[in-house]
Structure formats: C-alpha cells, structure tokens
Amino acid sequence: MIKLKINGCEVTAKEGEFIIDIAERNGIDIPHFCYNERLERIGACRLCIVEVKGIDKLQASCCTQVKKGMEINTHSPRVLEARRINMQLLLANHSLNCTTCKENLMCKLQKYASELVIEDSIFGETQRKDEIDNSSVSIRRDNNKCILCEQCVRVCNDIQTVYAIGMTKRGVNTRITPAFNNTMKQSSCINCGQCVVACPSGALTEKSDIPKVLEALNSDKHLIVQTAPSVRATLGELFGLPVGTPVTGKMVTALKNIGFHKVFDTDLGADITIIEEATEFVKRLKENKNLPLITTCCPAWIKFGEQFYFKELNKNMSTCRSPQAILASLVKTYYAKKIKKDPKDIILVDIMPCTAKKYEILRPEFKGEADFVLTTVELAKLLKELNVDFQNLPDSEFDNPLGFSTGAGDIFGHTGGVMEAALRTAADLIAKKDLKKIDYKKIRSMEEIKEAEISIAGKKIKICVVHTMGAARKLLEQIKEGASPYHFIEIMACYGGCIGGGGQPPPHNKKTLKKRVNALIRVDEHKKIRKSHKNPAAIKLYKEYLGKPGSEKAHKLLHTRYYRKSYV
Amino acid sequence: MQKKESIALLNILREIQKRYNHLPEKEIKKLSKKTNIPLVKIYETASFYSMFSFKRKGRNTIRLCNSPSCYINGSLNILKEIKRILKIDINQTTKDKKYSLELTSCIGCCDKAPAIMLNNELIGNITKAKLRKLLK
Amino acid sequence: MKILQKSELKAWKKAKKLGPKKTIQLLKKQGLTGRGGACFLTGLKWELVKNAKGNKFIICNADEGEPGTFKDKLLLEKNPENIIEGILIAAYCINTKQAYIYLRGEYNYLKDSLKKTIEETLTASRSSLKIDIIQGAGAYICGDETAIIASIENKRGYPHFKPPYPPQKGLFGKPTVINNVETLANVPLAIINKDWNDSLRLFSISGNVSKPRVYEIKVGTKLGKIALLAKAKNIKAVCFGASGGCIPYNSNSIINAEHICKEEAMLGACSLIFINKKKSMLDLAINIAQFFNHESCGKCTPCREGNTHILKLLEKIKSGKAKQEDIELLEKLSITIRDTALCGLGQSCTNHILTALNHFKKDFKVR
C-alpha cells in the first residue's frame, strides 16, 4: 500500500492503481465517458483529466497509475477550465435538443455537462446530418449523438466478440458503423443491447414499443402482461429505490393499475423450461448423445449460435423454448381456451430485461404469441407517463392460472441461476428421489467462466456457466473441436445474466450487478417451494393440458428449433 | 510467432487497392474469411488510411502536396492548373476514368516544391508546362 | 556528407567482437541520441529492451511525415546499407530475431531497392534476422511510436497512452525498440568512427529558399549561417515543420533544442521552413490547421473536435468577421488541446498558432 494525496487529502492505494478508481473509492466522481471498469482503457474522451504535481500536462486519470507521494488535484481551476473546453467541444458536435431526446434526464453527457456550469455554447453547433439507423427491431442508432467514446465498439468486439460495429474513417469524419456502412439489421448484431447500456450519450437506445403498448392499453382487447424474473430486481431503481430492492408486489399492482387484465409471471415459464430441459438433459445423459446440452433461454446467444456455430452446435442446443416463449405459447392456447377467447383478441405484452426479446418474439416460430416487448427501462417510462406513484403502491399477487412460481424460476435472472434451477430438478430426476440439496453456490459468482463437478447418485456431472459471448465463444470453440469436457452448459449473453440485460437501467458496474443478483437470491431463499418440478401450477398444467414432460403436445407447444442465420 | 502476427494487413490491402483501384467489398470479405480477422476489423483499418478507398478510383491517382513548404511555393497555382486541364475538382475522377485528383499531406519533396505524387512516383519542381506534358 | 559514408559491415563485425553489452556501452559513450524528434539516448533505449525477458522487436520508423522533412528519404536512397546494418546491430544487441521497417506509403518506390539491400546485407553478414517491410498507407499519425505499433498490429493507427512505453510494452505487448532512420544510419558510424559527433545532424531546409535540400549541420549553429547556406532572403519567420511552431527570423538565433524550447517552439526532427516577408502567417496557419484536421486520428476529443474549431476560428479571422474574443478563444482552445491531448500530435498541433499569435499578432487582424 502506498500513500498519496488527492485534493489535499491523504489516501491509500495499491501501487499501480489508476487515479480514477482511487478517487471513486474516496467519493470523488471524476467526469468520464470512455472509461468503463470492464473495458480496455483508452484515454480518449479527455474529460477525466487531472493535475499531477510535477507533470506539466494534464493527465487522464483513467490511464494514469499512481506512485508513492503523488499529489493530484481533480477539480483545480486549471482542470475545470480544460474540462469545460473539452465538454464544450463534445457539445458543439452533438444535438442540443435534449427535451425531445429519449435519453433526456438519463443521459451521462447531460449529467457531466450540467456539473460543469456551462452557460453558453462557445463553439456554435455543427449540424451533423448522419442517417439514423432504425433497421434493427431492438436497437436504434443515431450517430448524430455519438461522442465517439468507443464504449459500444469495445463491448461489441472485445466483450461480446460479435464484431457488428467498428470505428470507420478518421479525424472528425470518424463514425461508428457496421462494415461497409451496412445497417444494424444486416450486420452480425445479436440484439443483446450491451451497446445501449454502455452508451453515455443517447446515440444507442432501445427501439421503443411504448406507443404500441399505449395503443393496446386503449383498445378493447383482453390485455395480458408477463414479467421476467430479473425485472422485479431492477425496476425499483428507476423509481429511486436502493439498488437490490425486489419490487415484485408493487410491479404487479402497477401493471394492474394501468389496465392489464391479468399479470402473469414469466417465472412460471421458467419453471416449465426447467421441467422440460431437465427431462431433456437426463435423456441425453443416459444416451450419452448430443452433449454438452446448452441452455437456450437467451435469444442473443441463440442468434450468435445460429450465425457463427450453427453447423457445429445445432445438436447441442436445448430445444426448449425460453420462459417467455413458453408462457406466451400457453397464454394463446391453454389460457385462451380456458377463458373461451379467440387468441386474436388477446394481447400479450412481455416486460423483459432484454432488447433481444424484441427480436425473439418476431421469430416466425413464435408468430402470434407475444405481441410486444417492453424493457424494464421502457416500463418505468410508461408508468411515469401514466402518473403511477410507484413507490407508494401496495403489493399484489400475480394472477392465476399462470402466476405461481418457485424460487428456481426467480433465479433465472442471474448468471448461474438457470443451471442451479436445472440441477435442482435434474438431480431429483437422476436420483429418483427428493434430494435435500438445493443451493449450488459455486456457480453464483461474477466470474465469466464458472465450472463445477456435481455428484448425483454416483454420477459425476461436469457443468459450466458462462456469461458474455466472448467467454461463451471459448466454450463453443472447445465444443467445435470436440474437446468439451462438460455435460451441461449455461450461456447468458449479458454480463451478470439478465440482471445486466440490454433493457436494464444503467450503470452496470460490478457493484450494482452484484446487488441485483443478491436480490434474486433473497427472493428465492424466502420462497417455500424452490424446485421447479414442485410448482403446483406447473403440475396442474401438465395434468390438465400438456400430459407428461417431453410429450408430443409438450414438444409442440414448449419446444422450438433453430435455423442458420446469415449476416454481412 | 502466432499466425496472426505474421499477417501484414496493410501490405495485403495495398495489393488489393493496386489491383482493383479500390477495395471491393467482395475482396475484403474473402480476405476476412482467409485470415480469420472479423470483417469489421479489416474495414476499420482500411477506412483509416488515406491511400485506401472503397470507391473505385481512376487508373492514375494524382496526389498534390499541400503542406507548408509546397503551399508557400505555389501548390495552389498548380492545383488550379490541374483542375483546368482535367476539368475535375479534388476527390473527383475524370469521366474517362484515367485520373483521380487528391490533395495530400507532405510527401517528402519539400526541396523540390511544389511536388506531386503520380501513382507511385514522386515528381518535384512541378510547373504548369511540366503538368501539361505529364497529363497529355 | 559524413552520414553518407558506407560502413560496409565494419561496424557489424566490431559489434560482434565487442558483444551486446559493450556495444551498447560504446553507443552510450558516443552519446548517440534519437533523430526522430525526441532525442532519447539510443544506447539506453536498447539497454532497457536488452534486459527484458521474452520476445522483443525492433522497428525502424521510416514513416517520415513531418511537413518540411525529407532527410530520411535521402538516407533510404543514398545509404540504405548503413540503415540495415544499424538494424542488424540493434537486433543483435537487444537479442531479437524479428525486425520491421515501417516504410511510409509515399516512399513505396524505394521498397524494391530496400528489399534488395536487406537481402544482400543479411547474406553478407550471415545473420538470421528477419526484416519485414510494412508499408504505410497515408497517415501522418503513424510516425508516432505507439501508433506505428498499432499499425503493424493491423489496427487503426491510434496512439496509446504512455506509460507503458514501447521498451516496456510495445509491439504485440512485447518490449520494443523503435528507432528513426537517421538514428539507425548513424549507429555503424558511431561505432567505427572515434571522432563521430552526435551534434552533427541532418537538417531539412525548405520553403522560401533558393537552395532547399538536406544539410549536415552542427546543432547549435546560428540561424543566419543556415540561411546563408540555403540562400534564404527576406525572411520573416522560420517554422519547425508543422508541429514545431515558429520563431521570428533572427540571424543570431541559436538552433538547438534548448534555445528553441525557450522560445516556446520545438526543434523536433530539425526541419526548417523559411517563410519570407510577403507571406501572411494567418494564411500559413490556415494551411497548417488544414493539415492537422486531415491527419488527426480522431481518437481524443481535444485534437479531433478542437482542430475543427481552430480552423473555423482562423477562417473567421481571415474573413474579417472576427473580434478580439475570437482570438482569446483561439488561444484558450490551443492551450487546452496542447495540455490535454492524448499523443504528441495533439500536444504539438497548436504550437504554430500559439507562436504565430505571440510573434505575428499583426497578421491576425480583428475588428
């Protein structure tokens, strides 16, 4: 440990730590745009500059490592003046129409600009007229708002290894686009929305479905909504509640208040996914065929697999639908029949943490099932527009027959959760008895690749849990080479799993994500029933309607198939 | 050394640019497959450098130096003359696709200012007469 | 010129006799410093990399791009053998089997003859060193050492923050020596000539002069003497390339890094562009600002966005619509770019404005 001074105060740090991290730890938020703790440091935006005694030029605090005795000033008059000029330079090449921008009041550029007391644009405004790319169903790209912080490119290429977008041209002509100026739709984009989460300036935002949902709410259709596991862990943040506060009850009340006739729980879909997938796994394990089995609840990962590894991996992917797709299927068949309505008169809205879900519901295999997807962020916007006093709402329960879920359904929302839920059921199936073990804590960490060996009824099962597609690619390459040691793999495209999804409120730093994970773990621990196959609503469904897990009807309604996808 | 380290992308792109007078999308896609470098990474690199273009250029490229030494020795007069002879502006190509015209940064011929680069050749001490001869 | 003396592998043979350690000591003793603009002690750079473990690289920076500079071109044409021998010796001293020559795209016409020289030298020296030529493609920024590394790594020529410096973490993450062409050409001569003098450098003289060429001049010579050599008349100012800024002409000005620095300019790679009294420093500033706009890599905010507004402000002054506050803004902006840009290009791209405003205020008329 070494001692140094920041703004006159003595602080301690490890030798080699970066100034910006030490400052943050000591309550100093140095303005920054290109710095992200999980991405390669590039020192591009030059907003995080600080004064270091003895060094003539101002230093970028995100790329400068500390030495013993360093004296740093993060907010001296000289620093503020330079920071103000650099901010003015960014603003001069950015639309100043905040009031009509989607990111208004949520924008990092606004935040730091307002902190710098800027009262006039001293450089005038450059009217960039780049075309807005609205081609993707999940993501809207407006290069006129881009401040070239390169976060989206680093996330897409280094973390996700999707390589959909890159830096093109040079100097002030630099733009972030797919290759050959193709559209997002034509590119290899997997719709994960991590670029949306990373973007500090509104250049990348989710495609809005709020107007369509508003229209639906004002129609005379039967309105159903389902909510994904991780939404309940993060929605509260958008209403000022502390990070990691589960708001399930308030969320259900809010949705009822704005006009949904029934609020169903995607977690039930998750439980059914587990029942089907565990059955599938046990079968493959017995036959020693098509292993490792890979989970398929993540539509971004599925698109990735269909684009880059279809030939090699189609056989490994689980044919089970994602929880959302399972519940959507049941809403428009089982539920429609039950209430004697034509499925065409039912509108189903999904509240999802995920921008890729907007793409998933439009897959031809799922036609006519879920109608719209709103992300967590969109739901909050909608509730605010409809004047819902979220914080003061009482709790409500989900509606039957598709509202009851076990703890196993809740943990789908975080990395390792699907695997843990699957193991709870698979273990009972393999051992052919009700096992006591419920918790698989080893796979709950935030490491990108987590492996474990589980012993069930004398059988040794090797599992692996990965999140981010970059980490997943390593496993996929292994499988491609025929060298995979695993039986069962969980893949989540987003860091942290769905709690870090493209539709979740930023910031997505490790601290925030961990708190969200813990929220779901707590929800699970507080539930009486924590194994999917013990879900009474699920058991009833199978008895009344689906038959046995893996049955022909179950396959028709609850399973799907994949296709080779091309991209430019 | 790993395989990736032995790929000199700039040299390969130069050959493609030479052959086709631009970098065709098809060739870049082929290159991406061959080298296992993602398409967008090759595009990122290629679009950064002045000597690569994605739009087809003329069979001959005239690059007129407009850096300080040539500028104060009359580069703009030479530019006027080239525009007059070829009837094109900067960043344009003649109708018969024979010549493309560009302004360029210092080409290292400051002792022979004003100077141009005609394809691979550095030609200094450009006069109006010399131009007329070159661009006949 | 002394620099054109051919070593013909005499230095290579001597280096092999002395061994890496003693060769480096000799170079340190002779005081060989870099001639790319930074003037770092070459022997020390080699020593840092020699002592590092694992794979290492040597890169010859032949991306001469500073406006007004053409000395490396002369050496590549007239004494490539010395340059290759210098690379050979460097590789031997730091213990590497892989060298690169980053040859700017505009000098492509020299590639084939350079390749031939490499083959001949490697054969004659019986060295197993691999020397690959990487051809630049029109980017001034690739003269910066971290940008050259990015370029050879097949990426965009973006500079990287320092530290880490290339001798610590360079090409492909390994310790790397990057030396300028003139530096390497001097290596054999510094080894075989006892009377070799570091202060004798190649000066690229151009602009409003009758005898523009490369001159071999001792650093510390007075400006008047250089003006006489190049037959410069009626001179108003001397610019040190585009990035070094300018000084008003004074025949007594001592041309060395220290004195030029005192005048808030940068000697850099010893390129002098003479500007005569008929020229407007405002016009020149616009021309140089256009250069930096074209060559800015675009990575960092101050250089990318700042250079656009520098040009706008200069054009406003030219149009006669500028007020005093525009000059003040121009100055403030120039200082911010200088103080906060990521790399050497950004940090020096406003020297020409600040020095011109300082010495030639009259040329920047305001209402």
Side-chain angles (χ1 to χ4, degrees):
Chain A
M1 298 297 273
I2 54 169
K3 290 204 178 112
L4 54 137
K5 278 200 175 141
I6 299 186
N7 299 342
C9 299
E10 199 174 75
V11 298
T12 49
K14 285 192 207 129
E15 180 122 32
E17 271 196 277
F18 293 90
I19 297 177
I20 200 171
D21 298 320
I22 303 166
E24 201 245 346
R25 206 165 56 226
N26 286 278
I28 305 168
D29 179 21
I30 302 176
H32 56 278
F33 294 118
C34 69
Y35 172 61
N36 183 314
E37 64 180 11
R38 287 175 43 227
L39 301 174
E40 184 197 344
R41 289 160 201 272
I42 59 171
C45 71
R46 313 312 281 183
L47 266 291
C48 74
I49 38 164
V50 295
E51 223 174 332
V52 178
K53 189 174 180 189
I55 303 182
D56 174 43
K57 305 217 190 302
L58 298 175
Q59 303 296 299
S61 56
C62 67
C63 315
T64 307
Q65 290 169 293
V66 293
K67 291 199 182 99
K68 187 171 117 176
M70 233 181 194
E71 283 181 49
I72 300 156
N73 198 324
T74 65
H75 285 74
S76 71
R78 181 179 171 213
V79 169
L80 291 177
E81 179 69 11
R83 214 175 266 156
R84 224 174 276 129
I85 297 251
N86 282 339
M87 179 64 79
Q88 287 272 19
L89 287 172
L90 285 177
L91 295 175
N93 206 0
H94 184 92
S95 158
L96 297 178
N97 273 331
C98 290
T99 37
T100 49
C101 173
K102 241 201 224 169
E103 285 298 289
N104 193 21
L105 302 181
M106 295 200 307
C107 169
K108 213 168 167 194
L109 184 65
Q110 255 183 343
K111 171 176 183 249
Y112 287 133
S114 64
E115 280 175 17
L116 280 170
V117 189
I118 288 175
E119 275 150 18
D120 231 329
S121 34
I122 57 176
F123 294 117
E125 204 182 313
T126 333
Q127 284 296 350
R128 262 193 290 176
K129 286 207 175 78
D130 292 341
E131 244 186 272
I132 296 175
D133 186 349
N134 253 325
S135 64
S136 162
V137 301
S138 303
I139 297 164
R140 179 180 186 268
R141 188 167 63 85
D142 182 359
N143 269 353
N144 297 303
K145 296 189 180 157
C146 176
I147 57 170
L148 293 173
C149 70
E150 294 185 46
Q151 283 212 41
C152 57
V153 173
R154 281 175 284 158
V155 161
C156 191
N157 295 351
D158 301 338
I159 306 289
Q160 301 295 67
T161 67
V162 169
Y163 302 105
I165 49 176
M167 314 292 297
T168 63
K169 296 209 190 143
R170 187 170 85 196
V172 83
N173 297 320
T174 309
R175 295 290 185 274
I176 297 180
T177 74
F180 293 98
N181 240 317
N182 287 320
T183 62
M184 295 286 279
K185 187 171 181 191
Q186 292 168 309
S187 76
S188 57
C189 173
I190 60 171
N191 303 48
C192 67
Q194 288 304 294
C195 55
V196 171
V197 167
C199 181
S201 68
L204 290 159
T205 51
E206 76 279 331
K207 218 40 192 309
S208 177
D209 282 303
I210 298 177
K212 291 195 196 129
V213 172
L214 272 171
E215 206 187 308
L217 286 173
N218 288 325
S219 71
D220 55 2
K221 305 274 186 179
H222 187 62
L223 303 161
I224 310 290
V225 65
Q226 63 163 317
T227 60
S230 64
V231 178
R232 68 207 65 195
T234 61
L235 184 61
E237 289 171 37
L238 291 159
F239 293 95
L241 293 167
V243 177
T245 312
V247 291
T248 320
K250 288 194 208 288
M251 176 179 71
V252 176
T253 309
L255 290 165
K256 287 195 185 183
N257 285 1
I258 63 172
F260 284 102
H261 298 115
K262 290 271 190 264
V263 183
F264 291 151
D265 195 355
T266 312
D267 289 16
L268 168 60
D271 280 329
I272 298 173
T273 301
I274 290 302
I275 294 169
E276 290 295 315
E277 198 154 334
T279 308
E280 184 185 23
F281 176 59
V282 172
K283 180 165 183 265
R284 289 198 196 186
L285 194 63
K286 215 184 204 164
E287 295 169 4
N288 201 16
K289 232 167 100 184
N290 295 333
L291 292 175
L293 173 67
I294 313 177
T295 61
T296 47
C297 352
C298 174
W301 133 237
I302 292 175
K303 193 169 190 227
F304 188 97
E306 288 176 318
Q307 280 176 178
F308 304 127
Y309 292 95
F310 182 75
K311 192 171 105 190
E312 299 90 347
L313 298 185
N314 188 28
K315 58 174 178 34
N316 296 83
M317 290 159 83
S318 163
T319 56
C320 295
R321 288 172 169 225
S322 67
Q324 166 285 120
I326 282 191
L327 211 77
S329 170
L330 290 171
V331 164
K332 300 289 178 90
T333 55
Y334 169 75
Y335 176 68
K337 279 201 178 87
K338 218 171 187 180
I339 60 165
K340 298 194 178 64
K341 266 204 194 279
D342 185 346
K344 291 205 181 80
D345 292 326
I346 302 175
I347 288 189
L348 171 61
V349 176
D350 290 359
I351 312 295
M352 299 281 126
C354 173
T355 45
K357 290 290 176 187
K358 290 181 190 266
Y359 159 82
E360 188 181 45
I361 64 167
L362 293 174
R363 290 177 70 109
E365 310 87 80
F366 302 149
K367 192 172 177 186
E369 296 174 5
D371 296 287
F372 307 110
V373 166
L374 288 183
T375 62
T376 315
V377 169
E378 283 179 289
L379 176 60
K381 278 193 182 154
L382 178 63
L383 294 178
K384 283 175 188 168
E385 187 177 46
L386 296 175
N387 209 16
V388 172
D389 184 12
F390 190 82
Q391 273 138 311
N392 295 318
L393 289 177
D395 289 345
S396 302
E397 297 282 322
F398 285 102
D399 291 309
N400 288 322
L402 299 174
F404 188 87
S405 66
T406 70
D410 289 301
I411 58 175
F412 261 60
H414 68 77
T415 167
V418 177
M419 179 62 76
E420 197 172 334
L423 287 173
R424 289 178 192 177
T425 296
D428 281 9
L429 286 177
I430 294 171
K432 295 197 171 78
K433 62 180 180 182
D434 196 358
L435 293 171
K436 265 205 184 137
K437 183 174 170 77
I438 290 198
D439 296 309
Y440 294 85
K441 292 197 177 151
K442 193 176 177 196
I443 50 175
R444 292 181 191 169
S445 78
M446 293 301 275
E447 272 168 59
E448 282 168 14
I449 304 181
K450 301 167 273 190
E451 44 176 29
E453 200 176 83
I454 319 280
S455 227
I456 304 173
K459 273 202 166 89
K460 279 206 160 61
I461 297 172
K462 279 196 126 171
I463 60 159
C464 191
V465 172
V466 295
H467 49 135
T468 75
M469 289 319 300
R473 201 186 263 271
K474 296 192 183 130
L475 261 73
L476 300 177
E477 284 291 316
Q478 235 183 5
I479 301 174
K480 189 173 166 188
E481 289 165 17
S484 178
Y486 306 111
H487 297 103
F488 202 174
I489 297 176
E490 175 201 294
I491 296 182
M492 292 294 158
C494 299
Y495 183 72
C498 307
I499 43 106
Q504 297 281 38
H508 287 203
N509 52 44
K510 286 191 185 148
K511 220 169 39 184
T512 306
L513 296 176
K514 267 227 97 122
K515 287 194 179 149
R516 293 176 182 175
V517 171
N518 289 336
L520 289 177
I521 292 176
R522 281 200 313 275
V523 169
D524 169 35
E525 283 171 354
H526 279 113
K527 283 200 170 163
K528 278 210 186 98
I529 307 177
R530 299 174 65 198
K531 294 182 183 181
S532 295
H533 56 291
K534 302 275 190 193
N535 184 332
I539 294 170
K540 189 167 180 224
L541 254 168
Y542 275 97
K543 203 168 171 192
E544 265 182 34
Y545 192 65
L546 297 168
K548 271 208 179 107
S551 71
E552 202 186 309
K553 193 165 196 183
H555 253 276
K556 184 161 165 246
L557 294 177
L558 311 177
H559 287 247
T560 181
R561 55 165 295 193
Y562 310 106
Y563 299 87
R564 189 189 299 272
K565 293 274 183 336
S566 63
Y567 59 95
V568 179
Chain B
M1 260 202 302
Q2 301 160 21
K3 203 171 130 200
K4 224 190 206 168
E5 292 176 358
S6 60
I7 299 171
L9 197 60
L10 285 178
N11 293 353
I12 302 173
L13 289 173
R14 194 194 181 94
E15 287 306 303
I16 300 176
Q17 173 79 33
K18 193 169 152 194
R19 193 159 157 205
Y20 299 95
N21 280 328
H22 68 302
L23 300 176
E25 191 171 335
K26 211 163 128 197
E27 292 301 315
I28 302 301
K29 282 186 182 160
K30 266 205 259 169
L31 183 60
S32 168
K33 273 212 170 88
K34 188 167 169 215
T35 58
N36 227 6
I37 301 174
L39 181 66
V40 86
K41 295 305 262 184
I42 300 183
Y43 188 77
E44 273 191 326
T45 299
S47 65
F48 182 83
Y49 298 92
S50 304
M51 294 174 100
F52 299 137
S53 63
F54 295 106
K55 268 203 340 243
R56 192 184 281 271
K57 301 222 323 234
R59 292 189 300 279
N60 301 288
T61 303
I62 305 167
R63 291 184 172 93
L64 171 65
C65 177
N66 196 30
S67 279
S69 298
C70 285
Y71 169 69
I72 60 175
N73 274 301
S75 62
L76 291 184
N77 289 332
I78 301 300
L79 178 63
K80 242 196 220 154
E81 185 66 9
I82 299 176
K83 281 185 186 179
R84 189 191 68 83
I85 297 175
L86 296 180
K87 296 189 178 44
I88 55 172
D89 208 334
I90 319 171
N91 296 327
Q92 286 182 349
T93 305
T94 53
K95 275 208 181 107
D96 61 2
K97 303 258 191 291
K98 190 164 184 208
Y99 290 108
S100 285
L101 175 62
E102 279 173 23
L103 277 183
T104 192
S105 303
C106 181
I107 52 177
C109 295
C110 326
D111 52 345
K112 300 190 185 82
I116 65 166
M117 191 172 152
L118 178 60
N119 299 327
N120 233 12
E121 212 187 326
L122 299 178
I123 310 174
N125 296 323
I126 296 288
T127 57
K128 286 188 184 167
K130 216 172 181 176
L131 261 183
R132 276 174 242 140
K133 237 188 176 176
L134 271 169
L135 304 179
K136 225 182 342 193
Chain C
M1 287 195 272
K2 287 197 173 154
I3 190 71
L4 295 181
Q5 175 198 348
K6 308 255 179 193
S7 160
E8 290 171 344
L9 291 178
K10 286 205 268 290
W12 164 248
K13 292 184 184 126
K14 185 169 178 186
K16 294 248 16 209
K17 266 211 184 121
L18 288 172
K21 210 171 175 186
K22 288 210 170 112
T23 308
I24 291 179
Q25 263 172 19
L26 175 57
L27 283 175
K28 273 164 111 182
K29 192 169 141 237
Q30 291 286 58
L32 174 63
T33 53
R35 277 128 162 87
C39 302
F40 195 80
L41 202 63
T42 308
L44 183 57
K45 203 187 249 184
W46 291 12
E47 197 165 53
L48 289 168
V49 176
K50 171 183 177 294
N51 295 332
K53 295 195 186 111
N55 268 351
K56 312 152 193 193
F57 300 101
I58 163 126
I59 301 174
C60 166
N61 186 345
D63 194 61
E64 175 173 73
E66 183 66 45
T69 316
F70 42 99
K71 60 176 178 73
D72 293 344
K73 180 155 150 275
L74 177 80
L75 290 171
L76 288 162
E77 279 176 358
K78 298 268 169 23
N79 201 354
E81 295 86 356
N82 269 28
I83 301 167
I84 307 300
E85 192 175 344
I87 296 175
L88 228 61
I89 296 170
Y92 170 68
C93 287
I94 68 172
N95 190 16
T96 180
K97 287 273 172 257
Q98 176 69 53
Y100 293 95
I101 299 177
Y102 190 91
L103 181 67
R104 68 176 302 198
E106 294 82 348
Y107 291 175
N108 181 259
Y109 73 97
L110 291 168
K111 187 185 105 180
D112 288 335
S113 67
L114 197 58
K115 250 188 166 170
K116 193 156 172 255
T117 309
I118 294 173
E119 277 165 31
E120 289 169 353
T121 312
L122 289 177
T123 311
S125 63
R126 289 200 237 155
S127 161
S128 58
L129 178 67
K130 194 160 182 278
I131 305 180
D132 289 322
I133 301 177
I134 307 287
Q135 290 162 273
Y140 164 75
I141 184 63
C142 288
D144 172 282
E145 50 179 22
T146 55
I148 238 187
I149 286 171
S151 196
I152 299 178
E153 289 176 347
N154 298 330
K155 301 182 202 154
R156 294 161 69 78
Y158 276 175
H160 193 274
F161 56 86
K162 296 190 279 200
Y165 294 91
Q168 302 164 290
K169 191 173 176 203
L171 186 61
F172 304 122
K174 306 281 185 249
T176 305
V177 162
I178 303 174
N179 281 142
N180 170 264
V181 163
E182 191 190 342
T183 314
L184 289 165
N186 269 292
V187 164
L189 302 178
I191 290 176
I192 58 175
N193 292 343
K194 264 208 180 123
D195 63 346
W196 180 87
N197 192 342
D198 182 65
S199 62
L200 200 61
R201 284 179 188 241
L202 294 182
F203 279 67
S204 308
I205 310 293
S206 66
N208 295 129
V209 300
S210 307
K211 279 189 154 179
R213 68 183 61 154
V214 178
Y215 289 94
E216 202 166 48
I217 297 173
K218 230 185 186 170
V219 164
T221 304
K222 287 202 177 149
L223 186 54
K225 185 158 181 215
I226 302 176
L228 204 64
L229 276 171
K231 287 202 158 46
K233 285 209 181 95
N234 251 332
I235 298 301
K236 174 179 183 174
V238 172
C239 289
F240 300 101
S243 61
C246 66
I247 54 170
Y249 180 76
N250 180 340
S251 59
N252 283 315
S253 291
I254 299 173
I255 305 301
N256 66 20
E258 216 190 304
H259 276 90
I260 305 302
C261 203
K262 281 205 186 110
E263 307 224 32
E264 314 241 302
M266 269 170 33
L267 182 56
C270 300
S271 310
L272 271 60
I273 306 176
F274 284 76
I275 316 289
N276 75 21
K277 297 200 169 117
K278 290 192 224 150
K279 303 280 188 245
S280 149
M281 294 308 280
L282 172 60
D283 286 338
L284 185 64
I286 291 176
N287 177 266
I288 297 179
Q290 286 169 341
F291 168 76
F292 282 119
N293 261 279
H294 182 66
E295 296 295 347
S296 169
C297 75
K299 180 173 177 180
C300 79
T301 308
C303 176
R304 176 186 73 240
E305 305 292 337
N307 269 308
T308 345
H309 296 286
I310 296 270
L311 187 56
K312 269 199 184 144
L313 285 164
L314 288 172
E315 283 169 346
K316 192 177 179 188
I317 298 171
K318 176 95 187 170
S319 74
K321 295 190 180 138
K323 300 190 196 138
Q324 179 56 27
E325 56 206 43
D326 292 309
I327 300 274
E328 281 161 21
L329 181 59
L330 184 61
E331 207 163 338
K332 204 154 75 161
L333 178 57
S334 298
I335 291 172
T336 303
I337 298 173
R338 184 194 65 192
D339 285 353
T340 62
L342 170 63
C343 79
L345 185 160
Q347 289 159 9
S348 59
C349 70
T350 55
N351 281 344
H352 73 107
I353 306 270
L354 292 167
T355 49
L357 284 175
N358 192 8
H359 299 295
F360 301 100
K361 205 60 174 282
K362 283 194 283 131
D363 287 8
F364 296 79
K365 291 196 176 80
V366 289
R367 286 200 277 166

